Amino acid sequence: FVEAGKAAPTKKKGTKVSKADVAIGKIRKLYAIEKRIETLPPEEKTRQRQQLAQPVLNDLKAWLEKNSTRVPRDSLTYKAMQYTLNQWDLLTGYCQDGKLHISNVLAENAIRPFAVGRKNWLFADTPRGAKASATVYSLIETAKANGIEPFAYLNSVLQHIGNAKMVEDVEALLPWNTSLNKMQKG
């Protein structure tokens, strides 16, 4: 919608707001709700989202369904409207779980260094190298997400993985199960 708003002709005084700008205004209301509830525990966030955000989401969906037929099919606004409607269940899923974020910006920020650096990583020139890279990167980011310093985590995994005999032994090394997690949170 931001791109569609920028692509819209410049507005003259007294003209109507673009449909892209209307959509952005409705989305901003959702982010304002998130700002107000950001410090609440997950259960309370879920309750607040269902009470406050769900009506805004319902209004947005109704508005999108009504207005998507009122814009040219080849416009950026139409494409944004259709994308939003096609992704509706994923878009609104955060209202069902207070641990989820309204945006995937945290995930995008986490993978940005990987995306920028991948051209420099010579070992990933084969499918196996790429898979190894993705595995290590996933471990590092999951360690960070669980409040564990990545180097200490990888060091611990490498020290103990050789002794793992059963699936449970390997699972005990995962970032949310490891003793490093308990030490850093305790």
Side-chain angles (χ1 to χ4, degrees), residues 1-185:
F1 289 109
V2 172
E3 290 175 24
K6 287 178 184 174
T10 24
K11 299 171 199 76
K12 295 181 179 117
K13 193 173 183 174
T15 60
K16 286 178 128 181
V17 178
S18 74
K19 293 200 181 331
D21 288 336
V22 171
I24 290 169
K26 292 176 182 295
I27 293 166
R28 281 190 178 129
K29 289 179 184 178
L30 296 167
Y31 278 88
I33 292 166
E34 286 303 298
K35 184 78 173 153
R36 287 196 315 250
I37 67 171
E38 69 183 340
T39 60
L40 297 176
E43 304 78 31
E44 183 60 19
K45 271 188 187 178
T46 301
R47 195 180 73 68
Q48 290 290 319
R49 286 173 177 168
Q50 290 173 354
Q51 181 182 349
L52 302 172
Q54 199 61 56
V56 176
L57 286 163
N58 293 341
D59 175 61
L60 173 61
K61 186 175 186 185
W63 182 86
L64 289 167
E65 290 171 340
K66 178 181 177 185
N67 286 281
S68 65
T69 60
R70 297 179 178 180
V71 294
R73 287 184 167 266
D74 62 343
S75 70
L76 289 174
T77 302
Y78 178 82
K79 290 176 184 171
M81 290 174 152
Q82 289 306 304
Y83 179 81
T84 304
L85 288 169
N86 290 338
Q87 301 297 317
W88 193 256
D89 289 339
L90 297 172
L91 170 73
T92 59
Y94 80 102
C95 287
Q96 306 308 314
D97 186 345
K99 292 178 279 197
L100 299 178
H101 295 276
I102 189 172
S103 166
N104 68 345
V105 73
L106 296 175
E108 287 179 3
N109 287 342
I111 65 170
R112 185 169 288 113
F114 181 75
V116 170
R118 71 177 160 229
K119 292 179 183 175
N120 299 324
W121 297 334
L122 298 176
F123 66 87
D125 63 349
T126 66
R128 286 182 66 199
K131 184 173 180 177
S133 172
T135 300
V136 170
Y137 195 73
S138 293
L139 284 171
I140 289 170
E141 290 305 315
T142 306
K144 286 182 191 177
N146 282 275
I148 301 171
E149 197 279 317
F151 180 78
Y153 173 68
L154 290 176
N155 190 32
S156 175
V157 167
L158 292 172
Q159 286 179 11
H160 296 97
I161 193 78
N163 297 327
K165 304 287 186 237
M166 299 172 25
V167 172
E168 292 80 12
D169 299 333
V170 174
E171 287 178 350
L173 297 173
L174 294 173
W176 51 87
N177 291 334
T178 183
S179 60
L180 288 173
N181 183 298
K182 292 170 184 65
M183 286 188 294
Q184 290 189 11
K185 290 189 178 185

